[in-house]
């Protein structure tokens, strides 16, 4: 199996019973983010499809990811993994220095900002969208 195939397989299995805020299979979000960076090549696609794996599960360690995909993937995924103790904009600024991490985060923000993925909009959704917009604007400069 190719590394990209393995990354898709891992993410699919991890999120197989998970839905997004709109009730759709969560894997579709990961695949849309991957599609958004396909022009950057296989490394970007691998990292994009895996971008939520470390943040949303405890199934894999950094050592596991390194053994499966290599240190370059680990570096990018570490940049993309937002730790709760880190201010969101500090996290955005840190990942902005890596072109692949930056492109993946932009694709992630675009997909997460698609209001058609949501079932109704509440104030907390508007607040989250505003935060995503500020992050996207920073990354776009």
């Amino acid at each position: 199996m190719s590394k990209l195939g393995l990354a898709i397989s891992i993410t699919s299995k991890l999120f197989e019973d998970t839905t997004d805020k709109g009730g759709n299979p969560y894997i579709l979000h990961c695949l849309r983010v991957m599609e958004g960076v396909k022009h950057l090549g296989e490394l970007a696609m691998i990292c994009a499809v895996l971008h939520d794996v470390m943040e949303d599960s405890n199934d894999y360690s950094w050592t596991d990811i390194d053994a499966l995909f290599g240190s370059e993937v680990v570096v990018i995924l570490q940049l993309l993994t937002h730790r709760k103790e880190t201010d969101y904009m500090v996290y955005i600024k840190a990942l902005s220095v890596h072109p692949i991490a930056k492109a993946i985060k932009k694709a992630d923000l675009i997909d997460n900002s698609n209001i058609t993925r949501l079932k109704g909009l509440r104030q907390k959704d508007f607040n989250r969208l505003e935060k995503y917009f500020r992050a996207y604007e920073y990354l776009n400069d």
Side-chain angles (χ1 to χ4, degrees), residues 63-90:
T63 304
D64 296 333
I65 298 298
D66 187 34
L68 292 168
F69 301 102
S71 61
E72 197 169 9
V73 170
V74 170
V75 168
I76 295 167
L77 291 181
Q78 285 179 333
L79 288 168
L80 289 166
T81 300
H82 180 221
R83 290 156 191 83
K84 291 178 181 163
E85 67 274 6
T86 304
D87 176 78
Y88 188 73
M89 286 308 293
V90 170

Side-chain angles (χ1 to χ4, degrees), residues 2-52:
S2 72
K3 286 187 178 188
L4 179 57
L6 178 61
I8 293 168
S9 177
I10 286 170
T11 306
S12 295
K13 285 181 182 137
L14 182 67
F15 294 124
E16 73 181 331
D17 295 322
T18 306
T19 56
D20 65 15
K21 290 174 180 34
N24 300 304
Y26 192 78
I27 184 62
L28 297 177
H29 164 68
C30 300
L31 294 172
R32 286 189 299 267
V33 174
M34 181 186 75
E35 179 73 16
V37 298
K38 71 179 182 182
H39 63 283
L40 296 174
E42 186 175 22
L43 174 64
M45 292 172 70
I46 289 168
C47 293
V49 80
L50 293 170
H51 81 276
D52 280 336

Side-chain angles (χ1 to χ4, degrees), residues 1 12 14 48 50 85 87 90 96 107 119 122 134 138 140:
M1 177 182 297
S12 295
L14 182 67
L50 293 170
E85 67 274 6
D87 176 78
V90 170
S96 72
K119 288 183 177 178
R122 299 181 304 252
R134 283 192 314 269
Y138 180 85
N140 220 29

Side-chain angles (χ1 to χ4, degrees), residues 50-141:
L50 293 170
H51 81 276
D52 280 336
V53 166
M54 301 306 284
E55 197 171 302
D56 294 345
S57 82
N58 296 315
D59 292 8
Y60 293 90
S61 69
W62 291 115
T63 304
D64 296 333
I65 298 298
D66 187 34
L68 292 168
F69 301 102
S71 61
E72 197 169 9
V73 170
V74 170
V75 168
I76 295 167
L77 291 181
Q78 285 179 333
L79 288 168
L80 289 166
T81 300
H82 180 221
R83 290 156 191 83
K84 291 178 181 163
E85 67 274 6
T86 304
D87 176 78
Y88 188 73
M89 286 308 293
V90 170
Y91 152 73
I92 292 297
K93 289 174 184 175
L95 71 81
S96 72
V97 301
H98 193 290
I100 292 176
K102 182 178 179 177
I104 292 168
K105 190 61 188 177
K106 285 174 67 175
D108 181 44
L109 290 167
I110 289 168
D111 195 61
N112 282 333
S113 297
N114 181 350
I115 62 170
T116 63
R117 292 181 55 215
L118 303 174
K119 288 183 177 178
L121 291 171
R122 299 181 304 252
Q123 186 58 48
K124 71 179 193 173
D125 297 314
F126 287 110
N127 294 343
R128 188 176 57 254
L129 289 170
E130 182 181 359
K131 177 177 84 171
Y132 291 164
F133 178 76
R134 283 192 314 269
Y136 187 85
E137 285 295 297
Y138 180 85
L139 295 172
N140 220 29
D141 286 340

